[in-house]
């Protein structure tokens, strides 16, 4: 199913979500928050399109590598062992969506991601010829910390007007990851925009129809710093 078709159900999800709107923000990208910078609509959009979703809250246990894991704006840093677990999980066939306007040293080192030194506010334009972004032409992204020069194994799929790189795609073993330099396209505030909704829908569908989706609330909620583990082992 294409991102545009998935996004067709988005209007109903947003209408339900914001009636009433919970004003208490829990931080950008929090899938348990209905605030404008939360991401509860992202989870609801996934479930509305047939994806079973789970939250990693009390501990960081990655599911079987047959679906998608979202890591959104981690508030506590990854340990080296946890970052290595993520890379092994992707290599086994998982799809990782990592979105953050801040730098997580261990996770980005493990994924071989570099950051530029300056933050910025850009109206992001999709990099032409990227199949992932079919139907997404102008993605609003808000504040971001752009990525640096990609490795030869990585592809730029979103680029800012001032040559800032906002999105990277890379393969590891049998799986792949998509890195986004901001959570804002996936937040409740922007997800009802046509192009931001199409981007989110493409991420949701990245592992195929009905694939399970997990969200890392453990690091988002400040529970990080414990030893990572792989639940399917």
């Amino acid at each position: 199913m294409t991102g545009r078709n998935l996004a067709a159900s988005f209007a109903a999800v947003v209408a339900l979500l914001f009636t009433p709107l919970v004003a208490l923000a829990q931080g950008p990208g929090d899938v348990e928050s209905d605030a404008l910078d939360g991401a509860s609509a992202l989870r609801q959009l996934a479930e509305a399109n047939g994806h079973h979703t789970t939250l990693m809250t009390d501990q960081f246990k990655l599911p079987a590598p047959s679906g998608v894991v979202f890591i959104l704006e981690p508030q506590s840093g990854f340990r080296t062992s946890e970052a290595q677990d993520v890379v092994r999980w992707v290599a086994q066939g998982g799809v990782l969506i990592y979105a953050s306007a801040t730098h997580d040293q261990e996770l980005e080192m493990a994924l071989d991601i570099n950051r530029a030194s300056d933050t910025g506010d850009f109206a992001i334009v999709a990099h032409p010829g990227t199949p992932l972004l079919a139907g997404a032409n102008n993605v609003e992204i808000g504040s971001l910390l752009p990525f640096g020069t990609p490795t030869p194994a990585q592809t730029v799929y979103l680029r800012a007007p001032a040559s800032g790189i906002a999105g990277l795609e890379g393969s590891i073993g049998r799986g792949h990851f998509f890195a986004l330099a901001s959570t804002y396209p996936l937040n409740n505030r922007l997800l009802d925009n046509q192009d931001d909704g199409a981007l989110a829908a493409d991420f949701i569908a990245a592992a195929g129809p009905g694939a399970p989706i997990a969200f890392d609330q453990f690091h988002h909620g400040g529970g990080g710093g414990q030893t990572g583990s792989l639940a399917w082992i």
Side-chain angles (χ1 to χ4, degrees):
M1 184 177 293
T2 66
R4 188 172 294 278
N5 290 335
L6 272 173
S9 63
F10 181 73
V13 172
V14 171
L16 175 64
L17 172 65
F18 290 110
T19 311
L21 175 68
V22 177
L24 179 61
Q26 300 177 28
D30 188 339
V31 295
E32 296 182 283
S33 172
D34 294 343
L36 289 176
D37 65 351
S40 55
L42 178 66
R43 186 184 184 190
Q44 292 185 33
L45 180 61
E47 292 179 342
N49 285 280
H51 298 268
H52 175 69
T53 68
T54 57
L55 303 181
M56 292 179 276
T57 54
D58 296 332
Q59 54 185 327
F60 186 61
K61 277 186 172 290
L62 290 161
S66 59
V68 179
V69 165
F70 281 85
I71 299 176
L72 306 178
E73 204 71 54
Q75 303 295 306
S76 56
F78 275 71
R79 286 191 170 192
T80 301
S81 60
E82 292 172 332
Q84 292 171 346
D85 283 347
V86 171
V87 171
R88 285 194 292 268
W89 180 85
V90 174
Q92 291 287 326
V95 178
L96 170 68
I97 311 298
Y98 168 56
S100 181
T102 57
H103 170 63
D104 187 287
Q105 180 176 342
E106 294 297 334
L107 182 57
E108 294 183 15
M109 184 182 302
L111 295 172
D112 207 7
I113 292 174
N114 300 307
R115 294 272 188 168
S117 58
D118 297 325
T119 59
D121 294 304
F122 296 111
I124 302 304
V125 178
H127 187 71
T130 306
L132 170 71
L133 295 178
N137 298 309
N138 294 283
V139 178
E140 289 189 50
I141 200 165
S143 178
L144 80 163
L145 179 59
F147 297 119
T149 303
T151 70
Q154 296 171 353
T155 301
V156 175
Y157 67 84
L158 279 180
R159 189 182 296 275
S163 299
I165 297 173
L168 290 174
E169 176 185 2
S171 297
I172 303 175
R174 299 199 302 271
H176 52 281
F177 70 87
F178 300 97
L180 187 62
S182 173
T183 59
Y184 282 97
L186 306 179
N187 285 354
N188 301 329
R189 182 192 306 273
L190 294 178
L191 208 59
D192 61 341
N193 291 350
Q194 177 175 321
D195 292 311
D196 293 81
L199 176 66
D202 280 324
F203 285 156
I204 288 170
I213 294 176
F215 296 90
D216 178 16
Q217 287 290 92
F218 180 70
H219 290 95
H220 188 90
Q226 300 182 24
T227 301
S229 60
L230 304 175
W232 80 90
I233 293 179

